[in-house]
């Protein structure tokens, strides 16, 4: 795809000399409207992290699995990193807030770093649902050894997850960052951060679509295997007398299953938006308007589902212990 097809480069372009930012536009509303649900989601993510730290360093909850929480927390850090990078690559520039600044800048490394940051966190966020599914499979198939096995899996997989994106950004080493003008329905001054002079003119969209398709397929296969195993275990447990523990384990599995499928939403968003970009850029420019809401789905859905359904976050009404002294009830204490 040529530079013309990607949009006019704004940097040092005289067409933007007299551009003035107008905050009262629909693009400004669409860019900042997501904060209505993003801020509460950050609070939920903070509570999940706090629960994780409390169980690691202090109180031990029987429904708490350290490896599940580690992967979920790291996944959310990647999603937050992608959101913050995307904020300055796509959302804020589309409002026109950065246009005058971009016009005064030559193509530079700073804009390239913003672009690479978005791509880097994007790839990381893609891989954590796969790791989440693998951790669950090990817990289900090897319940007596899952702690040791999952510890080893995380020891090697987490560094690999953060190395993997670097391989798909090597083509950006000679590139420079620029701001490009959006096509219709956006107006003059609505821009986005992109690159020029990449190695052999390569683009990242084909790599992203390929990764999305591959990792989505892997996730679906892993979860299908897990689903069949859970059905088998469910049929075996129906005759068991440990009804309360079985119900609790089932509640945890349902919570993790819904959370897993919420995490898969990012793959769908990439396949739709970037697939359209590769097939017909004119169509893709209209999808860009709703793109932020699609990419926010995983960031918001996964932590909310996990927080609202996992037993670790439910307040338990335990029995009251009555302390007696000298045949008098002193106080009823809740634990």
């Amino acid at each position: 795809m040529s530079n013309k097809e990607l949009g006019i480069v704004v940097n040092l372009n005289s067409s933007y000399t007299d551009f003035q930012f107008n905050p009262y536009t629909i693009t400004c509303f669409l860019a900042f409207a997501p904060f209505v649900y993003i801020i509460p989601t950050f609070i939920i993510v903070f509570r999940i992290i706090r629960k994780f730290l409390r169980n690691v360093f202090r109180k031990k909850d029987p429904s708490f699995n350290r490896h599940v929480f580690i992967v979920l927390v790291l996944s959310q850090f990647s999603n937050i990193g992608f959101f913050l990078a995307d904020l300055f690559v796509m959302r804020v520039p589309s409002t026109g807030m950065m246009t005058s600044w971009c016009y005064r800048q030559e193509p530079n490394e700073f804009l390239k770093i913003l672009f690479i940051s978005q791509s880097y966190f994007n790839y990381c966020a893609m891989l954590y649902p796969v790791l989440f599914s693998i951790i669950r499979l090990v817990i289900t198939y090897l319940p007596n050894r899952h702690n040791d096995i999952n510890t080893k899996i995380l020891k090697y997989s987490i560094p690999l997850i953060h190395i993997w994106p670097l391989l798909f950004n090597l083509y950006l080493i000679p590139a420079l960052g620029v701001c490009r003008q959006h096509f219709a329905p956006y107006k003059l001054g609505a821009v986005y951060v992109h690159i020029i002079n990449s190695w052999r003119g390569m683009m990242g969209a084909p790599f992203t679509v390929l990764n999305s398709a591959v990792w989505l397929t892997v996730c679906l296969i892993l979860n299908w295997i897990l689903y069949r195993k859970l059905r088998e275990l469910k049929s075996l447990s129906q005759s068991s007398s440990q009804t309360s523990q079985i119900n609790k384990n089932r509640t945890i599995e349902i919570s993790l299953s819904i959370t897993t499928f919420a995490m898969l939403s990012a793959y769908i968003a990439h396949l739709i938006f970037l697939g359209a970009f590769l097939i017909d850029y004119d169509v893709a420019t209209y999808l860009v308007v709703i793109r932020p809401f699609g990419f926010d789905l995983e960031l918001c859905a996964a932590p909310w589902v996990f927080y609202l359904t996992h037993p670790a976050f439910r307040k338990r009404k335990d029995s009251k212990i009555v302390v007696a002294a000298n045949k008098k009830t002193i106080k009823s204490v809740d634990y």
Side-chain angles (χ1 to χ4, degrees), residues 81-106:
F82 174 78
F83 171 80
L84 294 175
D86 192 65
L87 190 66
F88 294 101
V89 170
M90 294 293 295
R91 305 185 195 212
V92 170
S94 69
T95 66
M97 292 179 67
M98 290 174 56
T99 306
S100 295
W101 178 84
C102 285
Y103 156 68
R104 296 191 298 268
Q105 309 299 315
E106 293 184 355

Side-chain angles (χ1 to χ4, degrees), residues 15-57:
S15 300
Y16 296 86
T17 304
D18 300 321
F19 174 80
Q20 292 185 344
F21 167 62
N22 177 14
Y24 304 106
T25 61
I26 187 65
T27 51
C28 280
F29 171 78
L30 292 173
F32 295 105
F35 281 97
V36 172
Y37 53 79
I38 289 294
I39 292 174
T41 300
F42 282 1
I43 295 172
I44 293 300
V45 172
F46 171 76
R47 291 183 178 180
I48 294 173
I49 295 171
R50 183 177 63 182
K51 183 72 174 181
F52 168 70
L53 295 176
R54 281 182 176 177
N55 278 271
V56 168
F57 296 109

Side-chain angles (χ1 to χ4, degrees), residues 211-224:
N211 271 270
S212 296
V214 169
W215 297 125
L216 175 60
T217 303
V218 171
C219 267
L220 292 175
I221 292 172
L222 291 174
N223 282 278
W224 172 246

Side-chain angles (χ1 to χ4, degrees), residues 20-175:
Q20 292 185 344
F21 167 62
N22 177 14
Y24 304 106
T25 61
I26 187 65
T27 51
C28 280
F29 171 78
L30 292 173
F32 295 105
F35 281 97
V36 172
Y37 53 79
I38 289 294
I39 292 174
T41 300
F42 282 1
I43 295 172
I44 293 300
V45 172
F46 171 76
R47 291 183 178 180
I48 294 173
I49 295 171
R50 183 177 63 182
K51 183 72 174 181
F52 168 70
L53 295 176
R54 281 182 176 177
N55 278 271
V56 168
F57 296 109
R58 296 187 339 194
K59 182 180 177 182
K60 301 297 181 182
D61 188 327
S63 62
F64 174 87
N65 184 287
R66 180 168 58 94
H67 302 106
V68 167
F69 270 74
I70 287 173
V71 175
L72 188 70
V73 167
L74 291 176
S75 172
Q76 290 311 303
F77 275 129
S78 295
N79 285 325
I80 291 171
F82 174 78
F83 171 80
L84 294 175
D86 192 65
L87 190 66
F88 294 101
V89 170
M90 294 293 295
R91 305 185 195 212
V92 170
S94 69
T95 66
M97 292 179 67
M98 290 174 56
T99 306
S100 295
W101 178 84
C102 285
Y103 156 68
R104 296 191 298 268
Q105 309 299 315
E106 293 184 355
N108 57 68
E109 295 289 334
F110 173 70
L111 291 172
K112 181 175 81 171
I113 290 172
L114 286 179
F115 185 83
I116 291 176
S117 298
Q118 183 207 43
S119 175
Y120 178 84
F121 286 114
N122 188 18
Y123 282 114
C124 290
M126 279 188 207
L127 288 166
Y128 276 111
V130 179
L131 182 57
F132 195 76
S133 300
I134 292 172
I135 293 297
R136 292 185 61 210
L137 267 179
V138 173
I139 293 172
T140 305
Y141 274 87
L142 301 166
N144 297 323
R145 299 171 52 206
H146 71 83
N147 266 319
D148 293 336
I149 295 173
N150 280 336
T151 298
K152 292 179 181 178
I153 289 174
L154 294 189
K155 179 181 178 181
Y156 296 104
S157 61
I158 290 175
L160 285 174
I161 285 174
H162 291 274
I163 292 172
W164 181 258
L166 300 177
L167 302 177
F168 292 93
N169 284 296
L170 291 175
Y171 75 99
L172 292 172
I173 290 176

